[in-house]
Amino acid sequence: MERDYSNAPGAGGGHDGNLGRQRGRRLVTEYAPAMLHWTSHARPLWQGSCKTEGERPSPSYLVDILPPEALLDDATDAIPAKHLHSSLNKIKHPINVVRWTPEGRRLLTASSSGEFTLWNGTAFNFETIMQAHDSAIRAASYSHSDDWLLSADQDGIVKYWQPNFNNVKVIQAHSDPIRDLSFSPTDAKFVTASDDSTIKLFDFAGGIEEATFTGHNWDVKTVDWHPSKGLLVSGSKDHLIKLWDPRTGNCLTTLRGHKNTISKVLFEPTRGQLLATCARDQTARVFDLRVMRDIALLRGHEKDIATFAWHPVHASLLSTGGADGSLFHYRLNEPNPPPGTAPSVASYDTSDPAMAPPLTIYPSHRIPYAHEFAIWSLNWHPVGHILASGSNDRVTRFWTRPRPGENDCFNDRYHIGEAAAEAQGTWDRRGMRRQQREQEEQEIEDEAEGLVDQEMPSQSSSAIPGLPGLPGLPGLPPPPTSVATNDGPSPSNGFGQPARSSDVATNNGPVAMPGLPPPPPIPPPGFMNLPPFDPTNPPDLSRLAALMGGQLPPPPSSLTPGGLPPGFPLPPPPIPGQLPPGLPIPPGMLPPGFPIPPGGLPFPIPLPGTVPAGGNIPPPSMGGGGDMAHPPPPSTGGGVRKRAPLPSQEESLMLEQQRGKYRPAR
């Protein structure tokens, strides 16, 4: 069931929505109403199907739609003949794998660039993207317990993922590309197929290789594990299909019938009695494991069949994807021969089933222009109402059943082509381009918003955030850290890059932090009989106490008259009558409410009761609103300071009159 939420609050219009560009119309496909309708009218299986009114070709019967599980005896209503949505990334790459998450809320796509992309399962919009592998991802599979995800790439690497896409393990399974992988029914083992013509069995918990199956003469393209038995099936480039015993590693039997490379093999997931295969000979075959022979031959494709998928509920519904982008749906209980073709007879209805030819089945529904290029992957939603397809045209498309009485979907460009649809008026090339452009812009916006939401907060190295002068705060450079290089750890500038030579602590002195006064120099070796000081390896305090014997040693005889060793820099002499630099201002020296600039006062503070040399007292208005852009010039030596520029002539005259000059005549 589809519902339009484009006019809802926050959807792009109205006072609650975005005031920018009007967002396009986005349909939401829900299966909850159909499930509620079925559960409210469900009956036991021995009493028949759901007790509801039969669906008729009219839009008014939309509320009577039932999920596929409610109609087990008929797969007609589950055929996905309608195109729902096309999703594509901002940076487009071929889609090699599509997998629905176990709960069906999202669709996972794996591309040739090694990226995982998550799409919403109801609105089909972008949710998140991550770089999962360094090379093209070739296979991915969820465990039966829904707790793990395995992915394999072009380099032969297999990665373990949790449901939150946390990578917990990486193993080098093969030296050549891995084409397929599959879990055992208990999830304790998994098997991989590679281009090195081998199949390997691994223990899942330890990631240890337990067995290697050799028997194919060429690249192994696909592998699958039976849903309930200890049975493996593999398909290779040598046109052979082999069944294996995973306990002994022996080949049980070899199935022949295809005349080209086997592209996909899958056991039927619901009952496990059938095995489907497809190859590059434009055909697909269905084998019955009870008689070990092919019982159905699926025809209709004009190009190679690249992949297929079983329906999760109906064992008689099979969907195939061709190398030309076509999507066909087959019902195994309906041959559906084209006009002028004689119908064939099933092998079960003949007198000699072992020698009878397989039943030829043609598509029940065709979508010839589903994609522009080869379809690499198909996957059904767990409920069975949506089919997802990934193609070499870099687009992921969603398909579902049409609504009751809806026939326009059979005349769209996916069924009859762009030229015919444009001629019939069911498709507008310009409007479609505009809609596609808006759709791409919307996907880009969704991707940008999703990536912003995933940004990790910056880790602050300050133990007390919010205090000025500490590292790790916005606007201040981070402290130097250590970066591992080939020569060992080296200092870093805080951004993961090696620091400059001027920022690295050397033997000549420690690091000077920007915006802070330089620290005092390190005492020279031999000062006070102490060992040399190494900035990278500070001395132990207990060792120093033992060396000093618990008391200070006598000063050396080589000290200067100031009490400092030779070569130790002397501090600058203080200006007579002024406070030394760095000393806090005593209370009472400044008037009440006097503001102190961040960089300090632009003039020296005289001591109480003293006048600086030269008799130049700064005017009181300098601190309360004077011209701070013109600070006084520095001292010229000898304690004499030049006169600072006065704010105005009126204040200068008043100041001189207070000194007894320029008094008016009485």
Side-chain angles (χ1 to χ4, degrees), residues 220-242:
V220 183
K221 295 298 184 182
T222 176
V223 68
D224 191 29
W225 201 309
H226 195 276
S228 60
K229 302 181 184 300
L231 183 63
L232 297 177
V233 61
S234 62
S236 172
K237 202 173 180 180
D238 57 4
H239 312 170
L240 300 179
I241 301 168
K242 291 182 177 293

Side-chain angles (χ1 to χ4, degrees), residues 74 116 202 399 469 546 621 636:
D74 190 7
F116 277 164
F202 291 86
W399 311 86
S621 59
T636 58

Side-chain angles (χ1 to χ4, degrees), residues 174 177-181 191-195 198-199 220-223:
H174 293 266
I178 297 177
R179 295 298 177 176
D180 203 359
L181 57 85
V191 64
T192 60
S194 173
D195 283 351
T198 63
I199 303 168
V220 183
K221 295 298 184 182
T222 176
V223 68

